[in-house]
Amino acid sequence: MRLPVPDGLPAAPLRRWLAAHAVPGAETHLDGVHRRVFPGGPDGGVEVTVDLGTAERCTEVVVEADGDVDPAAVRRWLDLDGHHRAAERHLATDPLLAPLVAANPGLRVPRAVSGAETALLTVLGQQVSLAAARTFAGRLVAAHGRPLRSLTAFPEPAALAAAGPDALRAVTGVTGARARTLHALAGVLADGLDLDTADPATARAELLALPGIGPWTVDYVALRVFGDSDAFLPSDLVLRRALGRVTAREAAARAEAWRPWRGYALLHLWTAEVFT
């Protein structure tokens, strides 16, 4: 299937984002072709390939799948129907963001294929580099994922909950505290917290009640899973570096003028700092 991209999007930053976040064993990325598993199908997962091409701008995403996949799910994942135009009109009035918006018009906010998967990966990424988080995630997939045809589906929360924190620590190499947080999150997800359909305010409260989950984690989940285009991570180290090594308090104050599009501002700043 072919999915048109309204206004087009800057393909290079998205290609770099997808490649940088690809979980070993569960995803691959090569020359603008990204492969990953979507929920569904008789085996519990459908392998999907999206081709962004190699041009500077992408005006059409080509999708292939080994089963049924909802085009709307792919569009949401890549934020193809997001409110980027309204965000850019607002953010372009800011002297800091104006050149970033001009450099990458149509930049989207990558969302989530699975809320549970994204939340669990976010915990693995707490206070470590993106490369380290991918290594931990790859180990988790190898140990507890479900092999499909050529990829492995990300582990189900129930499988991680059943494994226990000591086993998760041994498999991934994360700290004991991080393993306990991962296990606690897997437990509430297995018990019925569906981040893809839950009321965001209720889900935020449930997540914040878990040991080891704070505002950074919950705000990242809000941005990518809940689709909150005003979600913001003032304590994020890359963001603070992009703003001139400011404090979290200073970053939050600086971002007030960007409401209600702080999520898009965050992506422009992350892109300028990491994905250009």
Side-chain angles (χ1 to χ4, degrees):
M1 79 181 89
R2 296 177 178 272
L3 306 180
V5 182
D7 304 330
L9 59 81
L14 180 55
R15 290 193 293 260
R16 294 187 182 108
W17 169 285
L18 292 174
H21 288 81
V23 176
E27 298 177 84
T28 65
H29 188 94
L30 180 64
D31 296 332
V33 178
H34 192 89
R35 299 176 63 242
R36 64 149 298 138
V37 178
F38 273 61
D43 298 323
V46 176
E47 295 186 12
V48 176
T49 300
V50 296
D51 189 348
L52 304 172
T54 57
E56 181 177 343
R57 291 189 67 78
C58 175
T59 58
E60 182 180 71
V61 176
V62 179
V63 181
E64 296 181 357
D66 67 355
D68 293 332
V69 62
D70 185 357
V74 180
R75 297 191 69 88
R76 184 182 185 280
W77 170 42
L78 301 177
D79 195 30
L80 300 186
D81 301 312
H83 301 291
H84 65 280
R85 282 173 287 186
E88 289 171 358
R89 284 195 298 270
H90 182 72
L91 300 177
T93 63
D94 185 283
L96 173 65
L97 294 176
L100 305 186
V101 171
N104 285 303
L107 188 72
R108 308 305 211 275
V109 179
R111 306 296 187 180
V113 170
S114 161
E117 174 187 317
T118 297
L120 291 163
L121 288 173
T122 303
V123 167
L124 287 176
Q126 290 175 339
Q127 300 178 333
V128 298
S129 68
L130 185 53
R134 290 180 66 236
T135 297
F136 297 151
R139 293 169 180 168
L140 195 69
V141 166
H144 296 287
R146 184 176 62 261
L148 297 175
R149 280 185 10 190
S150 58
L151 297 175
T152 301
F154 192 82
E156 292 291 336
L160 302 182
D166 292 340
L168 296 179
R169 180 183 184 184
V171 162
T172 61
V174 300
T175 65
R178 191 65 38 76
R180 289 190 292 274
T181 299
L182 188 69
H183 181 254
L185 175 58
V188 299
L189 294 171
D191 286 343
L193 176 58
D194 185 348
L195 296 177
D196 296 310
T197 61
D199 170 70
T202 301
R204 285 181 70 98
E206 290 196 48
L207 292 175
L208 286 170
L210 297 175
I213 290 186
W216 182 91
T217 300
V218 175
D219 289 336
Y220 189 81
V221 169
L223 179 72
R224 298 204 53 208
V225 178
F226 303 152
D228 182 355
S229 293
D230 198 42
F232 194 65
L233 288 66
S235 65
D236 184 77
L237 293 177
V238 175
L239 167 73
R240 290 164 53 199
R241 187 173 70 221
L243 292 176
R245 303 186 183 281
V246 300
T247 66
R249 184 184 297 272
E250 290 169 331
R254 181 70 179 83
E256 280 300 304
W258 304 336
R259 287 185 180 274
W261 305 111
R262 293 182 303 170
Y264 281 94
L266 183 62
L267 257 292
H268 277 286
L269 290 163
W270 275 345
T271 296
E273 193 70 19
V274 179
F275 299 111
T276 54

